[in-house]
Amino acid sequence: MEHPLHFYNTLTRKKERFIPLNPPFAGLYVCGPTVYGDPHLGHARPAIAFDLLFRYLKHLEYKVRYVRNITDVGHLENDADQGEDKIAKKARLEQLEPMEVVQYYTDRYHVCMDLLNVEKPSIEPRASGHIIEQQQMIEQILKNGFAYEVNGSVYFDVEKYNKKYNYGKLSGRVLDDLMTNTRELDGQDEKRFPYDFALWKKANSEHIMRWPSHWSEGFPGWHLECSVMSTKYLGKKFDIHGGGMDLLFPHHECEIAQSVAAQGEDAVRYWMHNNMITINGQKMGKSLGNFITLQELFTGAHKILTQAYSPMTIRFFILQAQYRSTLDFSNDALQASEKGMQRFFAAVKSMNNLVPKETSTVDIKSLRNNCYEALNDDLNSPVVIAHLFDAVKMINSVSAGSESISKNDLDELKRLFRDFFFDILGMKEENASASDNEILKDVVNLMLNLRMEAKAKKDFVTSDKIRDELTKLGFEIRDKKDGFDWTLKS
Ligand code: ZN
């Protein structure tokens, strides 16, 4: 290809040409969710950013093995080495077996990913399914002298590692600076050094997720699973490791240290990080009251939302920013995306009805090349969308009769949308638009309010008729003390 794919490598801090280790194969590992709660906005961005990469690599005819893990053990509260396991805590609060929590939220994550048209990874390994491999890696790190055991727990020796290698090369942090800015945390006295991190933790008596090992009955440290599962499925050296910028330090920094300590060299050749999402200019957080789950976005059921937003609106909105730029969610911005996306789908519809003429007055020659150039420049999806929008304008002009298009050009235009808009950007037509759903909701509520009025007037013939007719249409109506509740059975 004339313009080969380049993307920004966080490790070297520059845009580099992508040259896979064993073409045509390409290995991609992305840190997946910790499954202890409903998938939220923060999950949508990395999923879509790396879905775009996955789709584009396949379009370029690479044979991609895409591994995205499920964290189901070892991720403790506050991402620290102390505190309760996030999944075990949820299990305790809900009185469930931890793996019930894992299954429930993994299923919900998958439903949301399907709705967002995020393709399934090739392999989706779980941390709890790789305890033996994690123990083997700990043994290797211990053997190489970069870890130590205290009271049944094993910690990574950051200071010793840093003497031989460079701890902090991914994040650009310097250990001495880290040291001066670190306050000693309570209960971390087992560690020789505050920045040491757990490879294996001895489980205390209340800890329910535990496995036997040489050192103690316990559980692996959070960072270990990704070092283990990436190299297990992609090889000791593999092409791309992705994840959100929030994982860069300490998670990915620790991953590098573990791999180097175990095998003497880095496992990853290109590190890629997507930027974060803010909401009305603020970081998303439960304490700020702006924490929005994907389900709430799709249904509009959150106090800061003025309407529901369809999954494709969310996808389009995320793709309208390059993955390394910040992205701010607001109702205005989402409504603008919704309108923009609807113009695309309307144009695709009219494109399929265009009648070609002998000659073209529109110039579509450079469009395909422009789209490739934008993608090859660090997956610049907003620029791709801008070029496709030029095509939308052409379609509208031809449709209005002010321009004409030849059969060859029309065929190429159709291929352009198929390749870039549908296959690579991953957009798809949704059955009912969000506004249709809103109208449906209003109409059903209106009918049920009329039924309540009829009941209040003791006009039971009318009230029963409304209920029976709605039931026949598939609605399930439940009367409540102060009103009603309904759902549409699918
Ligand atoms: Zn990870």
Side-chain angles (χ1 to χ4, degrees):
M1 180 170 294
E2 211 179 320
H3 303 284
L5 172 58
H6 285 69
F7 41 64
Y8 184 85
N9 187 348
T10 317
L11 191 65
T12 57
R13 291 165 182 72
K14 55 181 187 225
K15 281 185 198 169
E16 286 180 19
R17 180 173 176 178
F18 176 57
I19 303 170
L21 198 58
N22 302 305
F25 300 98
L28 169 64
Y29 184 89
V30 174
C31 292
T34 304
V35 282
Y36 69 104
D38 264 332
H40 53 77
L41 254 179
H43 290 113
R45 194 164 193 199
I48 290 169
F50 292 103
D51 186 52
L52 173 65
L53 175 64
F54 183 37
R55 287 165 175 272
Y56 188 47
L57 288 172
K58 286 194 290 183
H59 176 83
L60 296 177
E61 296 183 338
Y62 288 113
K63 291 186 187 304
V64 191
R65 185 179 296 160
Y66 177 16
V67 183
R68 189 185 65 209
N69 70 306
I70 295 281
T71 296
D72 61 354
V73 65
H75 196 169
L76 306 189
E77 285 178 294
N78 308 318
D79 300 350
D81 282 339
Q82 296 293 319
E84 210 172 347
D85 185 293
K86 292 185 181 196
I87 285 151
K89 182 179 179 187
K90 188 79 181 173
R92 180 174 57 78
L93 294 173
E94 311 261 316
Q95 292 186 296
L96 294 167
E97 151 69 28
M99 287 303 137
E100 279 183 286
V101 173
V102 167
Q103 192 65 54
Y104 180 78
Y105 289 113
T106 303
D107 289 346
R108 289 177 74 87
Y109 179 74
H110 286 157
V111 167
C112 287
M113 292 302 114
D114 287 347
L115 287 168
L116 291 168
N117 208 23
V118 168
E119 291 196 337
K120 289 177 176 59
S122 331
I123 307 173
E124 195 172 46
R126 285 186 183 184
S128 67
H130 298 75
I131 300 292
I132 291 168
E133 291 90 336
Q134 295 185 73
Q135 292 179 350
Q136 286 169 337
M137 191 162 195
I138 297 170
E139 300 246 26
Q140 192 61 49
I141 296 171
L142 274 166
K143 209 174 111 196
N144 295 349
F146 293 108
Y148 55 92
E149 187 194 335
V150 187
N151 302 330
S153 292
V154 183
Y155 294 98
F156 190 93
D157 193 336
V158 172
E159 200 172 27
K160 187 166 175 199
Y161 172 84
N162 190 51
K163 281 192 183 128
K164 181 156 184 194
Y165 304 104
N166 173 13
Y167 181 82
K169 66 177 180 179
L170 181 70
S171 58
R173 300 186 192 207
V174 178
L175 202 55
D176 288 341
D177 298 348
L178 284 172
M179 275 306 296
T180 34
N181 296 325
T182 305
R183 57 192 171 89
E184 286 286 339
L185 296 169
D186 289 340
Q188 300 221 346
D189 39 73
E190 282 182 349
K191 294 181 185 178
R192 290 183 189 162
F193 182 75
Y195 263 90
D196 291 353
F197 54 92
L199 297 172
W200 187 262
K201 284 284 283 181
K202 182 182 176 175
N204 61 27
S205 52
E206 303 98 69
H207 201 100
I208 38 182
M209 299 174 87
R210 50 170 72 213
W211 290 264
S213 78
H214 299 314
W215 314 290
S216 63
E217 211 172 76
F219 56 93
W222 171 42
H223 312 305
L224 192 59
E225 62 175 279
C226 290
S227 285
V228 165
M229 296 190 290
S230 61
T231 51
K232 177 177 168 107
Y233 297 110
L234 298 172
K236 295 249 174 275
K237 192 103 188 156
F238 65 92
D239 294 311
I240 308 165
H241 191 315
M245 254 175 205
D246 54 334
L247 296 176
L248 206 154
F249 189 89
H251 185 55
H252 292 157
E253 199 72 77
C254 294
E255 267 191 57
I256 292 181
Q258 289 165 160
S259 297
V260 174
Q263 63 181 35
E265 61 163 354
D266 273 359
V268 179
R269 300 173 63 238
Y270 303 89
W271 281 93
M272 290 176 79
H273 290 94
N274 65 275
N275 212 323
M276 310 314 288
I277 284 175
T278 52
I279 296 179
N280 297 319
Q282 276 188 310
K283 225 180 131 178
M284 188 168 83
K286 288 216 164 101
S287 55
L288 294 169
N290 65 358
F291 186 89
I292 310 180
T293 68
L294 290 171
Q295 207 60 47
E296 286 166 341
L297 269 169
F298 300 160
T299 57
H302 191 289
K303 65 178 188 324
I304 72 170
L305 298 174
T306 54
Q307 63 167 82
Y309 299 100
S310 76
M312 279 303 106
T313 305
I314 306 292
R315 184 174 179 108
F316 192 67
F317 176 72
I318 287 176
L319 291 169
Q320 279 182 304
Q322 202 262 357
Y323 73 95
R324 287 198 299 120
S325 5
T326 52
L327 178 59
D328 190 47
F329 258 72
S330 65
N331 283 292
D332 288 348
L334 279 165
Q335 280 155 14
S337 284
E338 191 180 46
K339 280 204 187 81
M341 182 184 74
Q342 282 161 356
R343 289 181 74 180
F344 268 92
F345 283 116
V348 168
K349 228 176 244 163
S350 45
M351 173 175 71
N352 292 328
N353 295 326
L354 290 182
V355 181
K357 296 268 162 56
E358 277 299 301
T359 53
S360 283
T361 57
V362 288
D363 182 12
I364 64 152
K365 273 196 293 295
S366 53
L367 285 174
R368 174 170 292 265
N369 208 35
N370 290 345
C371 288
Y372 278 126
E373 238 174 82
L375 284 168
N376 288 336
D377 182 19
D378 204 16
L379 303 172
N380 206 334
S381 51
V383 175
V384 177
I385 290 171
H387 291 309
L388 290 175
F389 200 68
D390 288 341
V392 166
K393 283 187 228 155
M394 287 178 200
I395 291 166
N396 292 341
S397 306
V398 175
S399 195
S402 54
E403 305 269 9
S404 69
I405 191 163
S406 69
K407 179 157 188 330
N408 280 348
D409 280 357
L410 182 57
D411 287 346
E412 168 53 18
L413 212 50
K414 287 178 182 171
R415 279 195 297 272
L416 187 83
F417 273 89
R418 188 198 60 202
D419 289 349
F420 291 95
F421 191 66
F422 293 105
D423 287 355
I424 298 172
L425 293 182
M427 297 301 298
K428 70 169 182 192
E429 190 98 58
E430 287 169 309
N431 294 336
S433 70
S435 54
D436 288 348
N437 286 334
E438 286 301 305
I439 292 168
L440 177 72
K441 241 189 251 171
D442 290 346
V443 171
V444 176
N445 285 335
L446 177 70
M447 295 299 295
L448 290 171
N449 278 319
L450 287 173
R451 175 171 169 254
M452 287 201 12
E453 282 169 27
K455 260 168 112 177
K457 286 186 228 150
K458 306 218 181 308
D459 176 5
F460 297 113
V461 177
T462 306
S463 74
D464 288 354
K465 189 170 161 46
I466 292 174
R467 186 199 57 212
D468 294 346
E469 292 294 327
L470 283 172
T471 308
K472 254 192 257 167
L473 290 170
F475 292 93
E476 200 172 78
I477 296 142
R478 288 174 300 275
D479 288 314
K480 293 179 11 186
K481 233 193 340 215
D482 53 348
F484 53 80
D485 204 3
W486 62 269
T487 47
L488 182 57
K489 286 183 284 182
S490 48

